[in-house]
Amino acid sequence: MSLPQAGIFALGTASHAYLEFDVSAGRKGGELVTAISALREPRTTMGGVNLVAGFRPELWREAAPDDAPAELVGFTTTAASPWSSAMAARATSNEDLIGIDGFVMPATQHDAVLWISGSAYDVIFDVARAAIAELHGLAAVVEETSSWPYRHDRDLTGFIDGTENPDLVDAPDLVLVPEGNPGAGGTILLLQKWAHDVAAWESLPVTKQEQVIGRAKPDSVELEDKAQDSHVTSTDQDTFGKIFRRNMPYGTVTDHGTMFVGFSSEQRPLSTMLASMAGLTSGVRDALTFYTRAVAGAYYFVPSTDWLRRVNGTAA
């Protein structure tokens, strides 16, 4: 059985860093894949660190063609546009997802991502610096974001995040690529950064915020009379498919938002949710997108630990 990277399911960590890399000029993508695949967490029982590595789908396919899900692609118009040809005509020729009313989810696809999480930021800081040093000359950090939990399990809108998540018993069966398929034990990551319009959001009364989300704010109970444009309706997992979310708040007091960290065994549940949020399936935009905007977005394939060992030559 192919083993997933353990950090995907390591709940309860207090500090997070997301480092996105692009291959340096004159170097080959395969070199970067090999080097990242060889990175390891510190061998310690104190201040433990989880290191999750993901790769641009096309880059992973070059390095490990037998382990690449056939239809998986980076954040391109094709990946982000699973709607009808009529709706697809609304999209521009670039890679951004263009929704109704000119709404945009930008594509900021990079070659690789390291998601480092642990008990305290000092440990994350040291591990991140060591990883960057190890990759020096092969790749440059082009995007860096630090995250932390807010009031245990709430995002910076004040609502509980991840209410629909499967539990840890069921999650692996739902979001890991099944055995017998290319990519078995791996998973598809959608990483997006959403900046909040704090002034606009906090000017809403709680009852209006609840209508936007589709849940009660204190306990996250789903509203019976939720609107078609509510966030819950726009991202309904019973409609689009199950995903496993590890979202975290990011930023400073004056500039903050949500890191969307979503895992799925297939790309379609993730891409159809984005299309729905942008109003490209129902013609109605997710109400939450009027108070938060995507500023970055990329898909990565997160291979099994078995394949990481194969790529770096340490497989038994």
Side-chain angles (χ1 to χ4, degrees):
M1 179 178 178
S2 301
L3 295 176
Q5 296 184 47
I8 297 166
F9 303 110
L11 302 181
T13 44
S15 294
H16 299 252
Y18 309 89
L19 305 175
E20 294 179 87
F21 296 84
D22 280 339
V23 176
S24 298
R27 303 305 295 262
K28 296 180 179 179
E31 295 178 281
L32 177 61
V33 172
T34 300
I36 288 180
S37 297
L39 295 175
R40 294 289 181 269
E41 298 98 338
R43 293 172 180 251
T44 176
T45 57
M46 298 298 292
V49 175
N50 302 295
L51 181 63
V52 174
F55 303 94
R56 178 169 54 85
E58 296 81 2
L59 182 58
W60 181 250
R61 184 169 289 110
E62 292 176 11
D66 294 336
D67 191 56
E71 298 181 359
L72 178 60
V73 294
F75 201 118
T76 63
T77 301
T78 301
S81 309
W83 50 85
S84 68
S85 57
M87 286 187 171
R90 299 179 184 176
T92 64
S93 59
N94 63 21
E95 297 182 341
D96 296 344
L97 192 163
I98 310 299
I100 64 173
D101 304 325
F103 175 71
V104 177
M105 292 185 192
T108 57
Q109 184 69 56
H110 298 296
D111 288 326
V113 63
L114 289 178
W115 167 31
I116 306 168
S117 62
S119 58
Y121 189 70
D122 58 347
V123 185
I124 302 303
F125 181 83
D126 286 342
V127 172
R129 291 190 65 209
I132 293 170
E134 189 71 23
L135 301 176
H136 179 70
L138 281 175
V141 177
V142 287
E143 186 73 31
E144 175 188 357
T145 306
S146 298
S147 292
W148 30 267
Y150 178 70
R151 297 188 180 182
H152 181 61
D153 56 3
R154 295 181 184 266
D155 66 24
L156 296 181
T157 65
F159 282 76
I160 296 172
D161 201 355
T163 302
E164 291 293 316
N165 259 357
D167 61 37
L168 289 179
V169 173
D170 297 328
D173 290 336
L174 293 171
V175 303
L176 297 179
V177 178
E179 293 296 323
N181 295 280
T187 186
I188 296 157
L189 165 64
L190 171 61
L191 185 67
Q192 284 187 302
K193 190 173 184 176
W194 290 81
H196 294 182
D197 185 341
V198 181
W201 178 254
E202 293 184 348
S203 70
L204 299 177
V206 170
T207 52
K208 176 60 177 175
Q209 291 180 0
E210 291 177 331
Q211 292 169 8
V212 169
I213 299 296
R215 293 186 180 277
K217 194 168 187 178
D219 53 15
S220 202
V221 172
E222 190 170 325
L223 303 182
E224 293 184 2
D225 57 347
K226 57 186 176 295
Q228 183 185 6
D229 66 348
S230 71
H231 184 59
V232 168
T233 302
S234 298
T235 61
D236 181 20
Q237 293 192 34
D238 290 333
T239 300
F240 300 109
K242 292 294 183 180
I243 66 172
F244 186 64
R245 290 165 50 175
R246 293 293 309 276
N247 296 1
M248 293 295 291
Y250 80 88
T252 66
V253 173
T254 58
D255 180 14
H256 52 256
T258 297
M259 287 296 290
F260 177 88
V261 184
F263 294 96
S264 178
S265 60
E266 298 178 311
Q267 190 165 26
R268 185 169 182 81
L270 297 164
S271 60
T272 52
M273 283 184 189
L274 295 191
S276 174
M277 290 178 68
L280 294 170
T281 52
S282 66
V284 178
R285 251 175 71 187
D286 185 333
L288 186 58
T289 64
F290 291 92
Y291 304 96
T292 182
R293 62 185 177 86
V295 295
Y299 285 106
Y300 296 100
F301 183 64
V302 179
S304 68
T305 57
D306 307 73
W307 269 95
L308 291 180
R309 293 190 184 102
R310 290 190 193 188
V311 168
N312 67 52
T314 61

